[in-house]
Amino acid sequence: MTKDFKSLYGHQMGMKLLFVCVGNSCRSQMAEGLAKSMGFEAASAGTHPAEKVADHAISLLKSKGISTEGMTPSSIDDMEPAAYDMVISMGCGVHCPAIKIDEDWGLEDPVGHAYEVYEQTAAEIERRLLLLLDQDS
């Protein structure tokens, strides 16, 4: 089920979101891709980045028509969190004393699980992003 959220809501979101987790290989990468597809400006980072983005995360985004070109785990140390309107922890016990976490979404890490777990995680991310869109309208 691919949705064109930009045309659905009729505008581009100006809100800049930063998604933070530990490995920046699953949840935060999916959140970044999904958020961009909905019109948000988005980025993601990890406190201890993995070597690569999880294959299931890449497959899931591609199945939704979302480009995964250039996706690679990034370190929070290379980001400027103050440049974002909202910093969202994916729920992996991220403790970043130097930055303020605006929301913790408390999502279980799907790494190492079946593709269906990634689908469930992505559905919850989409639900939460839609709530953010509704807050803006």
Side-chain angles (χ1 to χ4, degrees):
M1 174 171 80
T2 303
K3 299 176 185 172
D4 184 353
F5 291 102
K6 291 177 188 175
S7 64
L8 178 67
Y9 283 88
H11 68 285
Q12 279 274 37
M13 285 292 301
M15 185 182 288
K16 291 178 69 175
L17 305 175
L18 176 60
F19 299 98
V20 181
C21 69
V22 175
N24 189 222
S25 66
C26 299
R27 294 164 293 181
S28 55
Q29 291 284 347
M30 290 190 300
E32 176 184 348
L34 291 165
K36 285 178 176 178
S37 77
M38 297 168 98
F40 292 97
E41 289 185 49
S44 64
T47 56
H48 297 88
E51 290 184 21
K52 67 176 196 144
V53 177
D55 292 338
H56 283 331
I58 296 287
S59 296
L60 183 128
L61 292 172
K62 285 182 177 180
S63 77
K64 294 178 173 289
I66 298 170
S67 173
T68 60
E69 185 177 335
M71 283 190 149
T72 185
S74 301
S75 173
I76 190 66
D77 295 336
D78 298 331
M79 307 298 281
E80 290 291 336
Y84 294 85
D85 298 312
M86 184 177 282
V87 178
I88 300 168
S89 167
M90 301 312 291
C92 40
V94 172
H95 299 288
C96 304
I99 67 169
K100 177 179 163 265
I101 302 292
D102 296 298
E103 287 189 12
D104 182 349
W105 284 2
L107 302 174
E108 291 294 323
D109 192 349
V111 72
H113 291 282
Y115 184 76
E116 292 75 27
V117 177
Y118 283 76
E119 290 176 315
Q120 294 164 0
T121 302
E124 180 59 17
I125 291 168
E126 285 181 329
R127 185 187 75 77
R128 290 172 182 264
L129 289 169
L130 284 170
L131 290 174
L132 289 178
L133 281 174
D134 287 342
Q135 289 175 5
D136 184 59
S137 14

